[in-house]
Short mmCIF file of all heavy atoms in Angstrom, two decimals:
data_model
loop_
_atom_site.label_atom_id
_atom_site.label_comp_id
_atom_site.label_asym_id
_atom_site.label_seq_id
_atom_site.Cartn_x
_atom_site.Cartn_y
_atom_site.Cartn_z
N LYS A 1149 -142.44 2.41 81.50
CA LYS A 1149 -143.75 2.73 82.12
C LYS A 1149 -143.55 3.49 83.40
O LYS A 1149 -142.45 3.47 83.99
CB LYS A 1149 -144.52 1.46 82.40
CG LYS A 1149 -143.88 0.49 83.35
CD LYS A 1149 -144.68 -0.78 83.47
CE LYS A 1149 -143.82 -1.77 84.32
NZ LYS A 1149 -144.39 -2.98 84.49
N GLU A 1150 -144.57 4.20 83.79
CA GLU A 1150 -144.51 5.01 85.03
C GLU A 1150 -144.49 4.04 86.24
O GLU A 1150 -145.21 3.07 86.28
CB GLU A 1150 -145.74 5.86 85.11
CG GLU A 1150 -145.81 6.86 86.25
CD GLU A 1150 -145.02 8.15 85.88
OE1 GLU A 1150 -145.00 8.50 84.74
OE2 GLU A 1150 -144.38 8.67 86.83
N VAL A 1151 -143.60 4.27 87.16
CA VAL A 1151 -143.43 3.42 88.35
C VAL A 1151 -144.19 4.15 89.44
O VAL A 1151 -143.79 5.30 89.79
CB VAL A 1151 -141.95 3.18 88.71
CG1 VAL A 1151 -141.91 2.32 90.01
CG2 VAL A 1151 -141.29 2.47 87.56
N LYS A 1152 -145.13 3.59 90.04
CA LYS A 1152 -145.90 4.17 91.19
C LYS A 1152 -145.12 4.02 92.47
O LYS A 1152 -144.35 3.03 92.59
CB LYS A 1152 -147.29 3.50 91.26
CG LYS A 1152 -148.08 3.66 89.96
CD LYS A 1152 -149.52 3.69 90.27
CE LYS A 1152 -150.37 3.64 89.09
NZ LYS A 1152 -150.40 4.39 88.03
N ILE A 1153 -145.22 4.89 93.40
CA ILE A 1153 -144.53 4.89 94.65
C ILE A 1153 -144.91 3.56 95.36
O ILE A 1153 -146.08 3.20 95.48
CB ILE A 1153 -144.94 6.13 95.52
CG1 ILE A 1153 -144.45 7.43 94.75
CG2 ILE A 1153 -144.29 6.00 96.88
CD1 ILE A 1153 -144.88 8.67 95.47
N GLY A 1154 -143.91 2.88 95.86
CA GLY A 1154 -144.11 1.63 96.53
C GLY A 1154 -143.98 0.39 95.66
O GLY A 1154 -143.95 -0.72 96.15
N ASN A 1155 -144.01 0.58 94.33
CA ASN A 1155 -143.96 -0.57 93.44
C ASN A 1155 -142.54 -0.60 92.84
O ASN A 1155 -141.93 0.39 92.65
CB ASN A 1155 -144.93 -0.42 92.21
CG ASN A 1155 -146.36 -0.56 92.68
OD1 ASN A 1155 -146.61 -1.01 93.79
ND2 ASN A 1155 -147.21 -0.21 91.77
N ASP A 1156 -142.05 -1.81 92.67
CA ASP A 1156 -140.76 -2.01 92.06
C ASP A 1156 -141.00 -2.19 90.53
O ASP A 1156 -141.84 -2.84 90.10
CB ASP A 1156 -140.07 -3.32 92.56
CG ASP A 1156 -139.62 -3.10 94.02
OD1 ASP A 1156 -139.33 -1.98 94.43
OD2 ASP A 1156 -139.53 -4.17 94.68
N ASP A 1157 -140.12 -1.53 89.78
CA ASP A 1157 -140.23 -1.62 88.33
C ASP A 1157 -139.27 -2.80 87.91
O ASP A 1157 -138.11 -2.84 88.22
CB ASP A 1157 -139.73 -0.37 87.63
CG ASP A 1157 -140.01 -0.44 86.12
OD1 ASP A 1157 -140.68 -1.37 85.63
OD2 ASP A 1157 -139.41 0.45 85.48
N ASN A 1158 -139.83 -3.79 87.29
CA ASN A 1158 -139.05 -5.02 86.93
C ASN A 1158 -138.61 -4.98 85.50
O ASN A 1158 -138.08 -6.01 84.98
CB ASN A 1158 -139.89 -6.31 87.23
CG ASN A 1158 -141.23 -6.29 86.61
OD1 ASN A 1158 -141.53 -5.45 85.78
ND2 ASN A 1158 -142.01 -7.30 87.00
N HIS A 1159 -138.78 -3.90 84.82
CA HIS A 1159 -138.31 -3.78 83.41
C HIS A 1159 -138.66 -4.90 82.50
O HIS A 1159 -137.84 -5.37 81.77
CB HIS A 1159 -136.81 -3.53 83.47
CG HIS A 1159 -136.39 -2.29 84.23
ND1 HIS A 1159 -136.57 -1.07 83.75
CD2 HIS A 1159 -135.76 -2.19 85.46
CE1 HIS A 1159 -136.11 -0.17 84.64
NE2 HIS A 1159 -135.62 -0.87 85.63
N ASN A 1160 -139.91 -5.28 82.50
CA ASN A 1160 -140.42 -6.39 81.66
C ASN A 1160 -140.24 -6.10 80.16
O ASN A 1160 -139.95 -7.00 79.41
CB ASN A 1160 -141.85 -6.70 81.91
CG ASN A 1160 -142.05 -7.42 83.24
OD1 ASN A 1160 -141.07 -8.07 83.72
ND2 ASN A 1160 -143.16 -7.34 83.86
N ILE A 1161 -140.37 -4.86 79.78
CA ILE A 1161 -140.25 -4.53 78.31
C ILE A 1161 -138.88 -4.80 77.81
O ILE A 1161 -138.66 -5.47 76.83
CB ILE A 1161 -140.66 -3.07 78.08
CG1 ILE A 1161 -142.15 -2.82 78.37
CG2 ILE A 1161 -140.30 -2.67 76.67
CD1 ILE A 1161 -142.59 -1.37 78.46
N ALA A 1162 -137.83 -4.35 78.59
CA ALA A 1162 -136.45 -4.57 78.13
C ALA A 1162 -136.11 -6.00 78.36
O ALA A 1162 -135.44 -6.63 77.46
CB ALA A 1162 -135.52 -3.66 78.94
N LYS A 1163 -136.46 -6.60 79.49
CA LYS A 1163 -136.10 -8.01 79.80
C LYS A 1163 -136.65 -8.99 78.86
O LYS A 1163 -135.93 -9.94 78.44
CB LYS A 1163 -136.46 -8.26 81.25
CG LYS A 1163 -136.07 -9.61 81.78
CD LYS A 1163 -136.43 -9.75 83.27
CE LYS A 1163 -135.91 -11.01 83.84
NZ LYS A 1163 -136.25 -11.16 85.24
N TYR A 1164 -137.91 -8.88 78.56
CA TYR A 1164 -138.55 -9.89 77.77
C TYR A 1164 -138.77 -9.53 76.26
O TYR A 1164 -139.21 -10.36 75.53
CB TYR A 1164 -139.90 -10.26 78.37
CG TYR A 1164 -139.76 -10.81 79.75
CD1 TYR A 1164 -140.14 -10.18 80.87
CD2 TYR A 1164 -139.17 -12.12 79.90
CE1 TYR A 1164 -139.97 -10.70 82.14
CE2 TYR A 1164 -139.00 -12.65 81.17
CZ TYR A 1164 -139.40 -11.96 82.27
OH TYR A 1164 -139.24 -12.49 83.50
N HIS A 1165 -138.53 -8.31 75.89
CA HIS A 1165 -138.77 -7.89 74.50
C HIS A 1165 -137.50 -7.29 73.83
O HIS A 1165 -137.12 -7.83 72.79
CB HIS A 1165 -140.01 -6.96 74.51
CG HIS A 1165 -140.52 -6.69 73.14
ND1 HIS A 1165 -140.97 -7.66 72.31
CD2 HIS A 1165 -140.71 -5.54 72.44
CE1 HIS A 1165 -141.35 -7.14 71.14
NE2 HIS A 1165 -141.18 -5.85 71.23
N ILE A 1166 -137.01 -6.24 74.37
CA ILE A 1166 -135.97 -5.50 73.71
C ILE A 1166 -134.66 -6.30 73.66
O ILE A 1166 -134.06 -6.54 72.62
CB ILE A 1166 -135.69 -4.13 74.34
CG1 ILE A 1166 -137.01 -3.29 74.12
CG2 ILE A 1166 -134.49 -3.41 73.75
CD1 ILE A 1166 -136.97 -1.85 74.80
N ILE A 1167 -134.10 -6.74 74.80
CA ILE A 1167 -132.87 -7.46 74.90
C ILE A 1167 -132.95 -8.77 74.05
O ILE A 1167 -132.02 -9.03 73.29
CB ILE A 1167 -132.44 -7.72 76.37
CG1 ILE A 1167 -132.23 -6.39 77.05
CG2 ILE A 1167 -131.24 -8.61 76.46
CD1 ILE A 1167 -131.03 -5.57 76.57
N PRO A 1168 -133.96 -9.54 74.20
CA PRO A 1168 -134.06 -10.78 73.39
C PRO A 1168 -134.03 -10.43 71.85
O PRO A 1168 -133.41 -11.16 71.02
CB PRO A 1168 -135.35 -11.43 73.80
CG PRO A 1168 -135.56 -11.00 75.19
CD PRO A 1168 -135.11 -9.54 75.18
N THR A 1169 -134.66 -9.32 71.45
CA THR A 1169 -134.71 -8.96 70.08
C THR A 1169 -133.27 -8.55 69.58
O THR A 1169 -132.86 -8.93 68.49
CB THR A 1169 -135.70 -7.86 69.81
OG1 THR A 1169 -137.02 -8.28 70.22
CG2 THR A 1169 -135.68 -7.41 68.40
N LEU A 1170 -132.60 -7.83 70.44
CA LEU A 1170 -131.21 -7.43 70.09
C LEU A 1170 -130.38 -8.66 69.97
O LEU A 1170 -129.55 -8.75 69.04
CB LEU A 1170 -130.70 -6.49 71.19
CG LEU A 1170 -131.37 -5.14 71.33
CD1 LEU A 1170 -130.76 -4.35 72.47
CD2 LEU A 1170 -131.30 -4.32 70.04
N LYS A 1171 -130.46 -9.63 70.88
CA LYS A 1171 -129.66 -10.81 70.80
C LYS A 1171 -130.01 -11.60 69.53
O LYS A 1171 -129.12 -12.14 68.85
CB LYS A 1171 -129.94 -11.70 72.03
CG LYS A 1171 -129.23 -11.17 73.26
CD LYS A 1171 -129.46 -12.08 74.44
CE LYS A 1171 -128.77 -11.54 75.69
NZ LYS A 1171 -128.96 -12.30 76.89
N LYS A 1172 -131.32 -11.69 69.19
CA LYS A 1172 -131.73 -12.44 67.97
C LYS A 1172 -131.13 -11.78 66.71
O LYS A 1172 -130.76 -12.42 65.78
CB LYS A 1172 -133.23 -12.41 67.89
CG LYS A 1172 -133.79 -13.16 66.70
CD LYS A 1172 -135.33 -13.04 66.72
CE LYS A 1172 -135.90 -13.73 65.46
NZ LYS A 1172 -137.32 -13.53 65.40
N LYS A 1173 -130.99 -10.46 66.77
CA LYS A 1173 -130.40 -9.75 65.60
C LYS A 1173 -128.88 -9.62 65.73
O LYS A 1173 -128.26 -8.92 64.88
CB LYS A 1173 -130.99 -8.33 65.49
CG LYS A 1173 -132.43 -8.29 65.16
CD LYS A 1173 -132.96 -6.92 65.07
CE LYS A 1173 -134.33 -6.81 64.46
NZ LYS A 1173 -134.23 -7.05 63.04
N ARG A 1174 -128.28 -10.37 66.70
CA ARG A 1174 -126.89 -10.34 66.90
C ARG A 1174 -126.28 -8.91 67.20
O ARG A 1174 -125.17 -8.61 66.80
CB ARG A 1174 -126.11 -10.96 65.75
CG ARG A 1174 -126.45 -12.40 65.54
CD ARG A 1174 -125.59 -12.93 64.44
NE ARG A 1174 -126.03 -14.24 64.01
CZ ARG A 1174 -125.50 -14.86 63.04
NH1 ARG A 1174 -124.49 -14.38 62.30
NH2 ARG A 1174 -125.94 -16.08 62.71
N ILE A 1175 -127.01 -8.14 67.91
CA ILE A 1175 -126.64 -6.79 68.26
C ILE A 1175 -125.96 -6.89 69.62
O ILE A 1175 -126.66 -7.28 70.62
CB ILE A 1175 -127.78 -5.79 68.24
CG1 ILE A 1175 -128.32 -5.65 66.83
CG2 ILE A 1175 -127.37 -4.44 68.80
CD1 ILE A 1175 -129.57 -4.74 66.74
#
């Protein structure tokens, strides 16, 4: 997602969706 100036991007998509899916698939 677009990060607005002054906001921190916490990478919720990768942290809570992509990486757990990869782990579940043993990737």
Side-chain angles (χ1 to χ4, degrees):
K1149 60 185 176 184
E1150 189 81 32
V1151 179
K1152 303 211 188 302
I1153 296 174
N1155 291 348
D1156 290 332
D1157 188 11
N1158 54 8
H1159 299 288
N1160 285 336
I1161 294 168
K1163 185 176 183 179
Y1164 297 111
H1165 191 56
I1166 295 174
I1167 297 295
T1169 301
L1170 296 177
K1171 287 181 180 181
K1172 181 180 176 185
K1173 292 180 168 286
R1174 296 184 190 175
I1175 296 174

